[in-house]
C-alpha cells in the first residue's frame, strides 16, 4: 500500500514538473517575418513552418505562431513589418531577412523591446539577434571542389546568382570565388541572376548565353539548375555539368539524363525545414536556455548514388527537405557551443 502511495505521489510530482517545464513557454507568442515566397524552396519552407509550429501550438508548447510574408522583396517593407510585430507584442520574431545589414535597426528595436529575434537562412548581422543557417560559403566552395575532381584541367564557368542583397547570395558567391581562387584553372566567364527561381534563371541564362564561349560547368545557388538546362537546350548548345539545388524538377531532369546518357552532377542546399529549427531555437531561448548566437547545421546534398532515393522522397514541385524536432534543436545547440 505504501509503495502504491509512493508511486502515485511520484507520478503526480513528475506530471507537475512536466507542466511547469511546458508552462515556461506555453503562454509565448512567436511570429515569422518572411521577405519572399516566390519559389518552390520558400513555399516548402512555409509549409514546414506551418506543419511543425501548429503542432507545437496544439501540444501547448507555445500559445500562438503567426506567419507574415511581405508583398515584395524590399527591405523597407520588411522593416515596417517587423515594427508592426513589435507593436503587436510578440515574444519572439523569427526572420528570413531581405538583407544582412539593412534590417538591423528594426531588429535592434525588437531586441530593445525585450523580444527574442532569431534569423535563419537569410540572416542578420545585428549582434542582439541569433542566426540559424548552413555554412553557405563552404557550400559555394564545395561546388568548385566537386568540379575540380570532375574536370581536373579546369574550364569555363557560368555563375548564376540568387536574390541580390541577401546574405545567402553574398556568401555563396564568396565561396564560389574562393573555390576558383583555389583552383585557378577555372574561370568565371559569365554571370546571370536567377533569383533562386527556374523560370527567372532560364530567361537570365538565355539572355547572356549568346555572348558566352563554351561553358564547361555552371555553379548555382539552388532553384536555377533546371532553368539553366532548358536555356542551353533551347539554344542548341551542349549541356555542361550543372550544380543542382535539390529541387524536384532538377532531380527529375537529372535522373532522366542519367538514364539517357550517364549524366553526373552534385546537388546541395539548405533544407527548407531550417525554418522549423529556427522556431525551436526561439522556443528554447524563451525557455531560458543558453543558446550560442550562431547555430550552424549541415546542408543537404544529393549525389549520383543517392539521387533515386532523394527524388522518390521529394514531392512534385517541391524540394528535398528535412524538418527538425525540439530534440534535434537541443542537440544542434550543444553541437555549436
Amino acid at each position: 500500500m505504501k509503495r502504491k502511495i509512493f508511486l502515485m505521489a511520484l507520478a503526480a510530482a513528475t506530471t507537475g514538473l512536466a507542466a511547469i517545464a511546458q508552462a515556461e513557454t506555453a503562454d509565448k507568442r512567436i511570429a515569422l517575418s518572411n521577405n519572399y515566397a516566390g519559389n518552390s524552396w520558400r513555399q516548402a519552407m512555409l509549409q514546414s513552418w506551418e506543419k511543425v509550429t501548429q503542432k507545437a501550438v496544439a501540444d501547448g508548447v507555445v500559445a500562438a505562431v503567426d506567419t507574415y510574408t511581405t508583398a515584395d522583396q524590399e527591405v523597407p517593407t520588411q522593416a515596417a513589418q517587423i515594427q508592426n510585430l513589435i507593436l503587436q507584442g510578440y515574444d519572439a520574431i523569427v526572420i528570413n531577412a531581405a538583407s544582412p545589414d539593412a534590417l538591423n535597426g528594426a531588429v535592434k528595436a525588437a531586441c530593445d523591446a525585450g523580444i527574442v529575434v532569431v534569423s535563419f537562412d537569410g540572416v542578420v548581422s545585428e549582434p542582439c539577434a541569433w542566426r540559424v543557417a548552413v555554412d553557405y560559403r563552404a557550400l559555394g566552395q564545395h561546388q568548385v571542389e566537386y568540379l575540380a575532381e570532375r574536370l581536373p584541367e579546369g574550364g569555363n564557368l557560368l555563375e548564376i546568382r540568387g536574390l541580390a542583397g541577401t546574405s545567402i547570395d553574398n556568401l555563396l558567391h564568396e565561396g564560389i570565388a574562393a573555390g576558383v581562387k583555389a583552383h585557378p584553372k577555372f574561370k568565371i566567364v559569365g554571370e546571370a541572376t536567377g533569383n533562386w527561381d527556374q523560370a527567372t534563371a532560364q530567361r537570365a541564362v538565355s539572355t547572356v548565353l549568346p555572348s558566352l564561349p563554351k561553358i564547361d560547368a555552371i555553379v548555382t545557388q539552388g532553384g536555377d539548375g533546371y532553368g539553366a538546362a532548358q536555356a542551353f537546350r533551347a539554344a542548341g548548345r551542349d549541356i555542361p555539368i550543372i550544380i543542382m539545388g535539390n529541387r524536384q524538377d532538377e532531380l527529375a531532369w537529372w535522373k532522366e539524363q542519367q538514364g539517357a546518357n550517364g549524366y553526373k552532377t552534385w546537388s546541395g542546399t539548405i533544407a527548407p525545414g531550417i525554418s522549423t529549427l529556427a522556431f525551436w531555437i526561439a522556443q528554447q531561448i524563451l525557455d531560458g536556455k543558453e543558446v550560442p548566437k550562431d547555430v550552424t547545421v549541415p546542408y543537404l546534398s544529393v549525389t549520383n548514388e543517392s539521387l533515386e532515393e532523394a527524388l522518390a522522397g521529394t514531392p512534385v514541385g517541391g524540394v528535398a527537405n528535412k524538418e527538425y524536432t525540439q530534440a534535434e534543436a537541443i542537440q544542434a545547440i550543444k553541437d555549436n557551443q
Side-chain angles (χ1 to χ4, degrees):
M1 182 67 179
K2 289 181 178 179
R3 176 176 173 80
K4 182 177 180 182
I5 293 171
F6 171 76
L7 290 174
M8 291 173 64
L10 180 61
T14 302
T15 302
L17 287 173
I20 291 170
Q22 189 180 62
E24 292 297 324
T25 60
D27 62 343
K28 302 300 183 183
R29 297 166 60 238
I30 300 175
L32 170 65
S33 171
N34 175 48
N35 76 304
Y36 177 67
N39 61 29
S40 58
W41 191 96
R42 290 295 178 113
Q43 291 297 318
M45 179 271 287
L46 291 169
Q47 290 166 9
S48 290
W49 170 270
E50 291 293 329
K51 173 183 174 183
V52 171
T53 62
Q54 292 311 307
K55 185 177 187 306
V57 172
D59 290 345
V61 178
V62 292
V65 180
D66 300 309
T67 304
Y68 301 88
T69 297
T70 60
D72 56 37
Q73 303 166 15
E74 301 301 319
V75 169
T77 307
Q78 191 170 24
Q81 180 189 78
I82 294 169
Q83 293 288 353
N84 188 46
L85 297 178
I86 296 171
L87 293 174
Q88 291 185 53
Y90 283 96
D91 299 287
I93 302 174
V94 178
I95 301 175
N96 196 337
S99 166
D101 304 313
L103 287 171
N104 282 352
V107 170
K108 182 65 163 58
C111 293
D112 290 345
I115 299 171
V116 169
V117 179
V118 178
S119 60
F120 73 99
D121 185 37
V123 297
V124 297
S125 59
E126 167 54 47
C128 72
W130 281 261
R131 288 160 291 278
V132 179
V134 302
D135 189 339
Y136 283 112
R137 198 174 188 278
L139 175 57
Q141 189 162 354
H142 182 81
Q143 296 187 40
V144 184
E145 290 171 353
Y146 169 81
L147 293 174
E149 294 178 359
R150 292 284 310 277
L151 303 169
E153 296 304 314
N156 293 331
L157 303 181
L158 169 63
E159 180 182 3
I160 303 180
R161 301 287 298 265
L163 201 61
T166 60
S167 62
I168 309 162
D169 176 66
N170 294 337
L171 290 170
L172 278 165
H173 174 68
E174 289 174 8
I176 289 168
V180 171
K181 184 177 181 181
H183 300 279
K185 289 184 178 181
F186 287 103
K187 180 181 179 183
I188 296 177
V189 298
E191 182 180 293
T193 299
N195 285 356
W196 310 320
D197 174 69
Q198 304 290 9
T200 304
Q202 182 174 348
R203 289 193 298 270
V205 172
S206 296
T207 299
V208 301
L209 204 48
S211 64
L212 298 180
K214 178 180 180 293
I215 298 297
D216 298 289
I218 303 177
V219 285
T220 68
Q221 294 199 3
D224 38 29
Y226 180 70
Q230 295 301 97
F232 270 75
R233 186 183 69 174
R237 297 183 59 155
D238 291 339
I239 296 178
I241 300 172
I242 305 173
I243 302 297
M244 301 296 181
N246 293 1
R247 272 61 169 180
Q248 185 272 339
D249 50 9
E250 295 176 325
L251 301 180
W253 177 86
W254 177 7
K255 183 71 169 62
E256 179 184 277
Q257 297 303 305
Q258 188 184 68
N261 53 46
Y263 189 85
K264 294 181 179 180
T265 188
W266 181 85
S267 181
T269 193
I270 188 171
I274 193 75
S275 61
T276 65
L277 178 59
F279 163 75
W280 287 118
I281 293 295
Q283 185 269 331
Q284 288 293 293
I285 297 167
L286 290 172
D287 198 34
K289 304 300 191 300
E290 290 292 329
V291 179
K293 287 294 186 178
D294 291 278
V295 177
T296 302
V297 293
Y299 47 79
L300 287 183
S301 62
V302 179
T303 65
N304 292 287
E305 293 71 27
S306 65
L307 172 59
E308 188 168 347
E309 180 181 358
L311 180 59
T314 305
V316 174
V319 188
N321 198 7
K322 171 182 173 51
E323 289 161 352
Y324 292 82
T325 64
Q326 185 187 59
E328 288 173 320
I330 293 170
Q331 185 60 52
I333 292 168
K334 292 180 180 178
D335 291 344
N336 282 270
Q337 285 174 334

